Amino acid sequence: MWDDRAMADHERESLRDAAIQAEYETGAREETEAEARSHIVVRIARMTIGSIVCLAGVAMLVLPGPGLVVIAAGLAILARDVAWADRLVGHVRDRIPADEQGNIPRSTIVTMIVAGIAGVLLSVWWIAFR
């Protein structure tokens, strides 16, 4: 049993050391190990939030709401830390209607917001009053 615990502690320490080393090798240079550890926490939080936003967008593909826009937002959050998310952002942006400069027209944004709010209100009404 002690061997298993020692092995688990050794694995945890080696993963922590690898994460700190990865932080040192990124574009931003940390002066101390404490700064590297805090950046790891920020990166994990950002990746968690991006994943949750992406999952909400996937749910909105079948539920009311602007699914592709929410997926694009989640991928944009993830793209700061994950290379494959950066590539996918380009594919999702191609699917969103845009003008010549690549901007989303204001009418499209208003339509998506109104449709999303209407879908949420209709869903709440359906659940509460059926």
Side-chain angles (χ1 to χ4, degrees):
M1 175 159 170
W2 291 106
D3 291 332
D4 292 339
R5 187 172 185 171
M7 186 179 294
D9 288 342
H10 176 70
E11 287 177 10
R12 189 176 311 121
E13 185 176 320
S14 66
L15 285 174
R16 186 185 72 233
D17 291 342
I20 291 171
Q21 185 62 32
E23 281 298 319
Y24 282 135
E25 293 175 0
T26 60
R29 299 286 181 205
E30 292 83 12
E31 298 295 324
T32 65
E33 186 173 327
E35 288 178 0
R37 285 179 190 223
S38 69
H39 287 146
I40 291 170
V41 171
V42 169
R43 180 176 288 182
I44 289 171
R46 196 169 38 223
M47 291 174 66
T48 302
I49 291 169
S51 299
I52 291 170
V53 171
C54 282
L55 289 175
V58 169
M60 287 182 197
L61 290 175
V62 293
L63 298 171
L68 289 177
V69 174
V70 175
I71 291 172
L75 288 175
I77 294 169
L78 282 173
R80 294 195 56 190
D81 300 310
V82 183
W84 59 264
D86 192 32
R87 290 189 299 271
L88 283 177
V89 168
H91 294 298
V92 173
R93 283 185 184 154
D94 292 342
R95 304 267 327 244
I96 298 173
D99 61 7
E100 297 82 31
Q101 290 83 23
N103 299 325
I104 299 173
R106 188 170 299 230
S107 61
T108 303
I109 293 171
V110 170
T111 303
M112 288 188 290
I113 290 172
V114 169
I117 291 171
V120 168
L121 291 176
L122 182 63
S123 298
V124 169
W125 177 80
W126 181 259
I127 290 170
F129 300 111
R130 65 177 172 142

